[in-house]
Amino acid sequence: MSMTDPIADLLCRIRNAAKAQHKAVDVPASNVKRDIVQLLNDMRFIRKFSELKIDGKPFIRVWLRYNKNDESIISGLERVSKPGLRVYANSDDLFRMQQNVGTMLVSTSKGVLTHKQALQMRIGGEILCRVW
């Protein structure tokens, strides 16, 4: 079965696992998903992640992070750019958009970056999602 939006699937799986207070969630692996999960790990939204094979297919296992009250550190995940409506921004647009809540993940020519990293490099790209 083909999937039209694998990034939305990744975000939805993480969001649902966090609401159900699961310790970990498995998602099918891809390079973009790996980059997104790496950024979530760097920003400390998740505890850790690892790559594994299930029935010979690559997966990413994401361990979620919770606070002392067993509430997820991730309050929200929102897909911004969708297959039917891509959202692109140059560095000036990113500067104006940074007033919004959370961190935006941007797919650039230098890879997937946070909006702050993209602003430092003065490059734009496709806004994949927002995390807060």
Side-chain angles (χ1 to χ4, degrees):
M1 182 176 158
S2 67
M3 191 178 315
T4 58
D5 194 0
I7 296 172
D9 178 63
L10 165 74
L11 300 176
C12 190
R13 286 180 191 227
I14 291 173
R15 186 182 316 113
N16 290 343
K19 283 187 180 183
Q21 295 185 337
H22 291 290
K23 291 182 181 178
V25 61
D26 294 337
V27 295
S30 75
N31 290 336
V32 174
K33 289 180 188 180
R34 191 174 303 110
D35 292 344
I36 290 171
V37 171
Q38 178 66 53
L39 283 174
L40 291 176
N41 188 43
D42 293 346
M43 293 183 295
R44 302 185 46 83
F45 280 112
I46 61 173
R47 273 195 311 159
K48 62 181 179 176
F49 73 98
S50 65
E51 297 180 41
L52 60 138
K53 291 208 182 262
I54 300 175
D55 295 332
K57 296 180 181 170
F59 277 81
I60 300 171
R61 179 164 290 160
V62 179
W63 279 272
L64 303 174
R65 181 182 294 276
Y66 297 95
N67 63 17
K68 294 177 185 173
N69 299 329
D70 290 332
E71 296 169 343
S72 175
I73 298 298
I74 298 174
S75 300
L77 285 168
E78 177 185 63
R79 181 78 158 112
V80 176
S81 184
K82 300 175 174 122
L85 180 62
R86 300 289 184 187
V87 178
Y88 296 95
N90 60 28
S91 59
D92 295 331
D93 295 336
L94 285 174
F95 182 75
R96 277 184 245 119
M97 295 170 74
Q98 75 177 349
Q99 311 308 326
N100 295 341
V101 176
T103 301
M104 292 180 287
L105 302 184
V106 184
S107 177
T108 68
S109 59
K110 305 287 184 190
V112 180
L113 306 171
T114 65
H115 73 278
K116 292 177 184 176
Q117 293 169 332
L119 281 171
Q120 286 176 345
M121 297 176 149
R122 302 276 310 149
I123 56 176
E126 180 182 359
I127 302 173
L128 300 176
C129 61
R130 287 185 332 137
V131 184
W132 66 95

